[in-house]
Amino acid sequence: MTTLTDPPKGAFRPSMLLYDSRYRSLTLQAIAAIVLGLCFLYLYSNVAANLRAAGLNISYDFLGNTAGYDINQTLIDYSSQSSNWRAAVVGILNTLLVAFLACVTATIFGVLAGVLRLSPNWLVRKLMAFYVEIFRNIPVLIWIIIIFTIMTAVLPAPSAFRGENPDSTMLFDLAAFTNRGVYIPGPYFTRGFGAEGNGALNWLLVIAVLLGSLFGTRAVTASANAKQAATGLRPNTLWVNLGIWFVPIIVVLFALGLTWDYPALKGFNFQGGLKVGGPLIALWFALSIYTGAFIAENVRAGIQAVSKGQTEAAAALGLRPRRVMGLVVLPQALRVIIPPLISQYLNITKNSSLAIAVGYADITATLGGITLNQTGRAIECVLLLMLFYLTISLLISAFMNVYNNNMKLKER
Amino acid sequence: MKKTIIFSALTVAGFAAGAAAAGTLDDVKARGKLNCGVVTGLAGFGAPNADGRWEGFDVDLCRAVAAAVLGDGDAVEFVPTTAKTRFTALASGEIDMLARNTTWTFSRDVDLKFTFVGVNYYDGQGFMAPKALGVSSAKDLDGATVCIQTGTTTELNLADFFRTNNISYEPVPIETNAEAQQQYLAGACDVYTTDASGLASSRATFENPGDHILLPEIISKEPLGPLVRHGDDEWGDVVRWTLNALIAAEELGVTSANVGEIGNSTNNPEIKRLLGTEGTLGEMMGVDADWAAKAIAVGGNYGEIFAKNIGEETPIGLARGLNAQWTNGGLMYAPPFR
């Protein structure tokens, strides 16, 4: 496209919108925007007119009505008398929980498999290639169902733990693995805040103390680094760090009166303790290994993008292979790995909507499933679902892009 | 399935308005085929047999309506719907009628804008449990894990039942009947709850039906019946009176065996009007004069359809109970044909 160095003087004529390259692109974009706007307007008026003709209207009043159904996994208080809105929030929290857990484990699986796929060991290399190809090329829904089916078929039902000589016994009398989920001892506080010591305030306090310890140890490490840089002698920080980690948290837990609630077979199910439901485990594990296979390929690509000379130079300095990987190769590879990793985190969050296949009560199952069916408000529910997934995806994307900007090569 | 919901949700209104304006009866006649929504598979009520031909109690109603309108009981396109997709399928015009153990409730009728044309099966929600569990009453189920088909009225009844009796339970929501059976048999839930007829149907397909008992409590009223969209009364009349014709036929002694000649040989004027040998009932409704005769000829009258698909002679083994004719102490009662 040519641009004139000395634009001709003269009045603006309408024909220039089409024939002058300075204005033509603007004209075309304006036309495209108007056409797009008209399309949306048509779609909206069509939906509105047809809804009117069918005697329906768009209304979100149903969110305040009583939900009337129960949910098997609730992170906040919920009963069948709660509102549809609360049921939706329960679903949102469940979605976020499984997405967060799966993102963490998928990253671990992915990095391990990606690094091992480049291992000099033939067997390890081929095993990892096998894992990646198998899991990447079969749809995640099928993995979710396979894992859930295996879980329910292989693990014993709670009734197998009953009787004088039960078919199954609890592990060390602490944990029970059943086809309804895993029951483990649950902590609670006898002197804590809130009813029966289960208030969220207790856990916020514990998290705050742990965060304080984290910053404390970082400060200690920083001062040790400064001292080493100044004098060449590194002070021993191990005992100080251990103290900072353990003393405050033990004091706080003792003050709150930490005790454990053990699961025990009562009636039909195990009661007490913490229950990690079978659907959550199946969904979490399936999403992790499936997405882990994709992340493994990202990691492999990232590592291979780092020049071989870097590895050789590091080895020439006498570093062991593990330190070469950890100190030289992976930090540089991260710049290639992080951008596609963002997409994988988005995929995990969106794929968690397959939860209904195993009866996990995520947002698609509560708001987009039962609430939608019981109220018949399909358009409203689906719009809310779209809004939720869009918001979550954009948030993940934003956070990961901030991280990416910190990690990427800074050119000055 | 997810796609269907979203897609239909977005296009729901577009089709609904078009279909309502044109008249479903004319649409069906022009198409030469009835689109009938059925279950994805529930033995006795609606399931494809070994040859892929749909059979069952609800399926026979679809065939009867097709015969009444088009004169051919096979002119039906069966559209399998899940509990979650059924209403969207009907509202969007994907199907002309829904014959799929669907409970007639106030909100579905009034708020979702559907018209229930009648009841073809009076049911109630029950519980099935393994005998080994040693439970004899649903009130003993405190703390039990309950498998439940999600998106149905059973979900709400269950919550109400446990709340009224002040006992707790853990729901395991399942999408289809087949999955629920699998989970129940694997012991992932202690009891399975759905309409008592559905439980009987499921139990019939188990390897050892004798190992499972149906608990005595029936915790709800579930009048199941066919439904159509609001606002198309002519079409609603066709489905309603086809169902009534099948019920009346049993009461009047018209069967698939004698439907061919009884119209001429009988002295009973109501039979004559029903079968079109007298009066103009078919003409009033916009179908052939012998519409009811054709509908009855396909699968028989209501009693025959019941006996053939879910009656005591079948593996499902349901007694007539509430579904007997009113003359036999049941609730089946067709308004007069005059």
Side-chain angles (χ1 to χ4, degrees), chain A residues 44-214:
Chain A
Y44 174 77
S45 66
N46 194 29
V47 168
N50 284 318
L51 280 177
R52 247 194 329 276
L56 297 168
N57 61 328
I58 296 236
S59 155
Y60 287 93
D61 293 344
F62 71 94
L63 285 174
N65 298 344
T66 306
Y69 58 88
D70 285 295
I71 300 178
N72 53 1
Q73 179 190 307
T74 56
L75 298 177
I76 54 174
D77 282 337
Y78 175 85
S79 79
S80 61
Q81 294 308 295
S82 305
S83 65
N84 279 314
W85 170 247
R86 195 154 182 96
V89 173
V90 168
I92 288 175
L93 291 177
N94 284 345
T95 293
L96 293 179
L97 174 71
V98 75
F100 174 75
L101 291 175
C103 281
V104 172
T105 41
T107 311
I108 296 172
F109 288 168
V111 171
L112 275 180
V115 171
L116 290 182
R117 209 181 162 180
L118 296 169
S119 156
N121 183 321
W122 184 87
L123 185 64
V124 169
R125 201 166 64 229
K126 290 296 167 195
L127 269 179
M128 287 303 133
F130 184 73
Y131 157 71
V132 167
E133 295 309 329
I134 289 280
F135 280 91
R136 240 162 38 118
N137 292 308
I138 293 177
V140 65
L141 177 61
I142 297 185
W143 284 118
I144 294 174
I145 293 173
I146 288 175
I147 290 169
F148 188 56
T149 312
I150 292 176
M151 262 190 65
T152 44
V154 170
L155 290 174
S159 57
F161 292 81
R162 207 173 284 135
E164 281 294 303
N165 285 309
D167 298 335
S168 313
T169 48
M170 291 173 71
L171 193 68
F172 306 125
D173 273 344
L174 290 178
F177 295 83
T178 74
N179 60 2
R180 290 175 197 172
V182 175
Y183 298 82
I184 52 172
Y188 71 97
F189 302 107
T190 48
R191 291 192 287 271
F193 311 98
E196 294 169 20
N198 286 326
L201 211 56
N202 300 315
W203 291 110
L204 283 180
L205 186 63
V206 169
I207 291 171
V209 169
L210 286 177
L211 275 179
S213 300
L214 177 69

Side-chain angles (χ1 to χ4, degrees), chain A residues 235-352:
Chain A
N236 190 347
T237 57
L238 178 69
W239 293 108
V240 180
N241 277 343
L242 283 182
I244 292 177
W245 271 117
F246 283 98
V247 174
I249 193 74
I250 288 175
V251 168
V252 165
L253 290 180
F254 187 76
L256 290 173
L258 176 76
T259 26
W260 296 89
D261 183 19
Y262 297 100
L265 196 58
K266 282 196 197 106
F268 295 97
N269 284 316
F270 281 93
Q271 308 278 333
L274 266 184
K275 181 195 176 190
V276 187
L280 171 62
I281 296 174
L283 187 67
W284 173 14
F285 192 57
L287 286 175
S288 304
I289 51 174
Y290 175 76
T291 317
F294 285 88
I295 294 178
E297 286 297 83
N298 296 340
V299 171
R300 183 170 70 116
I303 292 173
Q304 286 181 331
V306 177
S307 155
K308 203 169 164 51
Q310 296 282 326
T311 316
E312 288 165 352
L317 286 174
L319 289 178
R320 292 177 166 278
R322 260 181 61 173
R323 309 214 81 187
V324 173
M325 186 55 83
L327 293 175
V328 178
V329 177
L330 272 185
Q332 297 185 71
L334 275 182
R335 290 172 192 142
V336 179
I337 295 172
I338 291 171
L341 195 64
I342 302 176
S343 318
Q344 295 308 334
Y345 287 170
L346 296 184
N347 279 344
I348 286 184
T349 313
K350 288 181 287 178
N351 283 341
S352 71

Side-chain angles (χ1 to χ4, degrees), chain B residues 4-337:
Chain B
T4 324
I5 292 179
I6 292 165
F7 184 70
S8 330
L10 292 176
T11 54
V12 73
F15 285 111
T24 314
L25 180 57
D26 295 332
D27 284 350
V28 172
K29 280 182 179 167
R31 200 188 305 132
K33 211 155 206 181
L34 171 75
N35 291 334
C36 194
V38 289
V39 287
T40 48
L42 181 64
F45 285 86
N49 66 9
D51 305 326
R53 185 182 152 87
W54 282 86
E55 282 181 348
F57 183 71
D58 288 325
V59 166
D60 275 349
L61 185 66
C62 295
R63 293 193 194 280
V65 172
V69 177
L70 304 165
D72 178 6
D74 285 325
V76 189
E77 179 81 34
F78 291 103
V79 181
T81 58
T82 68
K84 281 170 72 171
T85 59
R86 54 187 166 176
F87 297 125
T88 325
L90 182 60
S92 67
E94 188 184 342
I95 53 177
D96 303 312
M97 60 177 281
L98 186 66
R100 177 206 185 284
N101 43 31
T102 297
T103 307
W104 185 351
T105 69
F106 181 95
S107 62
R108 285 173 180 175
D109 199 328
V110 175
D111 193 33
L112 297 192
K113 314 279 182 207
F114 294 123
T115 300
F116 284 81
V117 299
V119 175
N120 68 340
Y121 192 93
Y122 289 95
D123 208 341
Q125 184 177 349
F127 295 95
M128 175 164 62
K131 270 191 181 147
L133 207 58
V135 174
S136 58
S137 158
K139 294 188 176 151
D140 301 338
L141 289 176
D142 193 10
T145 307
V146 183
C147 273
I148 180 171
Q149 253 181 286
T150 188
T152 63
T153 48
T154 51
E155 217 153 24
L156 306 184
N157 297 331
L158 186 70
D160 286 350
F161 174 78
F162 277 86
R163 196 164 56 87
T164 0
N165 286 294
N166 209 9
I167 50 180
S168 67
Y169 73 107
E170 185 183 318
V172 178
I174 309 277
E175 184 87 9
T176 68
N177 191 48
E179 282 173 58
Q181 284 180 29
Q182 189 198 341
Q183 293 292 309
Y184 168 74
L185 288 176
C189 42
D190 297 307
V191 284
Y192 177 31
T193 180
T194 187
D195 294 344
S197 60
L199 291 177
S201 160
S202 295
R203 187 170 65 159
T205 62
F206 288 174
E207 216 169 305
N208 298 311
D211 293 350
H212 304 271
I213 55 162
L214 303 186
L215 301 181
E217 281 86 358
I218 297 292
I219 65 169
S220 68
K221 287 186 291 187
E222 307 285 337
L224 309 179
L227 57 156
V228 297
R229 282 179 293 276
H230 243 331
D232 190 352
D233 294 343
E234 285 73 22
W235 174 244
D237 284 343
V238 172
V239 182
R240 174 178 300 115
W241 286 97
T242 307
L243 174 63
N244 284 336
L246 298 179
I247 296 170
E250 185 187 17
E251 185 189 340
L252 298 168
V254 181
T255 66
S256 54
N258 67 14
V259 68
E261 42 82 29
I262 194 172
N264 297 315
S265 62
T266 182
N267 291 325
N268 185 331
E270 183 158 20
I271 297 181
K272 282 176 176 289
R273 284 193 297 272
L274 173 66
L275 298 181
T277 48
E278 201 182 287
T280 55
L281 294 187
E283 195 186 318
M284 291 177 201
M285 206 162 67
V287 293
D288 295 341
D290 59 347
W291 62 281
K294 285 177 186 160
I296 296 163
V298 174
N301 61 37
Y302 179 81
E304 287 177 88
I305 292 174
F306 193 102
K308 183 178 67 181
N309 293 302
I310 53 177
E312 289 182 287
E313 302 298 305
T314 66
I316 316 292
L318 292 171
R320 280 297 285 270
L322 287 176
N323 296 295
Q325 288 287 333
W326 66 289
T327 46
N328 293 334
L331 292 173
M332 281 298 153
Y333 182 102
F337 280 77

